Amino acid sequence: MSVGLSIGQVAERTGLSVHALRFYEREGLLADPVRRESNGRRVYTEDDVEWLNMCIKFRSSGMPLDTIRKYTDLVRQGRGNERERLALLRSHQEHVAAQIEELNECMRVITHKVTIYQQHLDDGTADCLWVAPSTTADASAAS
Amino acid sequence: MSVGLSIGQVAERTGLSVHALRFYEREGLLADPVRRESNGRRVYTEDDVEWLNMCIKFRSSGMPLDTIRKYTDLVRQGRGNERERLALLRSHQEHVAAQIEELNECMRVITHKVTIYQQHLDDGTADCLWVAPSTTADASAAS
DNA sequence: GACACTCATAGACCCCACTCTAGGTCGTGT
DNA sequence: ACACGACCTAGAGTGGGGTCTATGAGTGTC
């Protein structure tokens, strides 16, 4: 089934650089240190790729490498610590929820500004309303 | 109206450190270089605080300081470049939308993992299902 | 058998966004 | 008188997350 992938192939299909892949490995982010060919070259399995994709999801949702390492350690230790894994996941879940909240709020503010600029540009009123080269001009647009 | 605020007061009400406030100023993130008392101390206006709050929104939605500086420059230059400001804002808006998308996708994945772990813990099946201290064990939970 | 290519390691380097330090000034309270 | 706390500047240091370099070895093909 799993043919064995070179680091270059894994880089290609995960979008991580080969540098990053080696870096992640050094950092202990792979459940088991990648197998090697006789010549020392890394051989990745499809499972490794799947795991990496999960790490990428974790990273891109703001989980620090350190926490990913903790999670990896738990998984590596095997059965018995499922509660801990769950706690870690839940905590990250909350974190992500908070981020989404925050971004939505930012979005609200930005969209408001965009709308106002757009309106004034449409009106051709821009030249009348933007008076001072100051904070205030933009702030009044923001408020 | 505006009484004039010390850097400490501004730090308190924006949540930025006094260090960060000075840093932001050096970096050209304030529309006009803050006024000073005769003794050289900074005096912030409420407008400055408002502007800073906007910067904070920008930052916390992932806008690099560099881009905030560009926006600030545009505002500082005054009327005539509203199109550019709008373009910058729109571009950031898209960026934020993409981030929200991404986070939602991560959330989906994480929630799925959480659900599965929770199920197995509820079932008490954890000890049977988690077999190997390997990627696979967790990957099967993820899939 | 020469050239290009991919891989290997160890460690240096980079960028970003702060954060902190050193050394000094001012104004107030006791 | 003098200590204290808030402020000032310039610039060094930090932490996270990679990225790049130097150096060398194995493979593939003309």
Side-chain angles (χ1 to χ4, degrees):
Chain A
M1 192 140 209
S2 61
V3 182
L5 300 158
S6 73
I7 195 169
Q9 291 173 313
V10 173
E12 216 171 310
R13 67 188 73 179
T14 58
L16 294 166
S17 70
V18 296
H19 295 296
L21 283 169
R22 291 195 273 249
F23 170 69
Y24 277 18
E25 186 178 345
R26 274 208 300 284
E27 293 297 299
L29 265 52
L30 282 82
D32 23 38
V34 180
R35 268 136 290 180
R36 303 300 182 111
E37 271 182 282
S38 51
N39 56 17
R41 295 187 176 196
R42 290 170 178 80
V43 183
Y44 293 81
T45 65
E46 292 292 347
D47 281 352
D48 290 330
V49 174
E50 235 182 288
W51 180 265
L52 280 165
N53 280 329
M54 198 197 56
C55 290
I56 290 168
K57 280 267 170 287
F58 283 165
R59 273 297 300 131
S60 70
S61 52
M63 188 186 283
L65 293 188
D66 203 59
T67 307
I68 302 184
R69 179 172 27 248
K70 267 166 203 139
Y71 186 74
T72 306
D73 287 347
L74 288 174
V75 171
R76 193 169 16 232
Q77 281 164 33
R79 49 239 119 64
N81 57 24
E82 287 77 7
R83 265 166 222 293
E84 283 178 78
R85 297 188 207 176
L86 182 54
L88 190 154
L89 289 174
R90 271 203 206 291
S91 142
H92 184 56
Q93 193 179 31
E94 279 167 37
H95 188 77
V96 175
Q99 277 184 85
I100 293 175
E101 245 328 283
E102 172 89 26
L103 283 182
N104 278 326
E105 166 62 10
C106 294
M107 197 52 156
R108 216 187 47 69
V109 170
I110 294 163
T111 299
H112 185 230
K113 282 180 87 67
V114 163
T115 309
I116 291 194
Y117 269 104
Q118 188 60 63
Q119 255 173 36
H120 287 300
L121 281 172
D122 289 351
D123 292 1
T125 53
D127 274 16
C128 324
L129 287 177
W130 269 260
V131 179
S134 76
T135 302
T136 329
D138 187 75
S140 74
S143 64
Chain B
M1 194 145 212
S2 61
V3 182
L5 301 157
S6 73
I7 196 169
Q9 291 173 313
V10 173
E12 215 171 311
R13 68 187 73 179
T14 58
L16 295 166
S17 69
V18 296
H19 295 297
L21 283 168
R22 291 195 275 248
F23 170 69
Y24 276 18
E25 186 179 344
R26 274 210 298 285
E27 293 296 299
L29 266 52
L30 282 81
D32 23 38
V34 181
R35 270 135 288 179
R36 303 300 183 110
E37 272 182 281
S38 52
N39 56 17
R41 294 184 176 199
R42 290 170 178 80
V43 183
Y44 293 82
T45 65
E46 292 293 346
D47 281 352
D48 290 330
V49 173
E50 235 182 289
W51 180 265
L52 281 166
N53 280 329
M54 198 197 56
C55 290
I56 290 168
K57 281 267 168 286
F58 283 164
R59 273 297 301 129
S60 69
S61 52
M63 188 186 283
L65 293 188
D66 202 58
T67 307
I68 302 184
R69 180 171 27 247
K70 268 167 203 138
Y71 186 74
T72 307
D73 287 347
L74 287 175
V75 171
R76 195 172 11 234
Q77 282 164 32
R79 43 239 119 69
N81 58 22
E82 286 78 9
R83 265 165 223 292
E84 283 178 78
R85 298 187 205 176
L86 181 54
L88 190 155
L89 290 174
R90 271 202 207 292
S91 142
H92 184 56
Q93 193 179 30
E94 278 168 37
H95 188 78
V96 175
Q99 277 183 86
I100 293 175
E101 245 329 281
E102 173 91 24
L103 283 182
N104 278 326
E105 167 62 11
C106 295
M107 197 53 157
R108 216 186 47 69
V109 171
I110 294 163
T111 300
H112 185 229
K113 283 180 88 68
V114 163
T115 308
I116 292 195
Y117 269 104
Q118 188 59 65
Q119 256 173 36
H120 289 300
L121 282 173
D122 289 351
D123 292 3
T125 53
D127 274 14
C128 324
L129 288 177
W130 269 260
V131 178
S134 76
T135 302
T136 329
D138 186 76
S140 75
S143 64

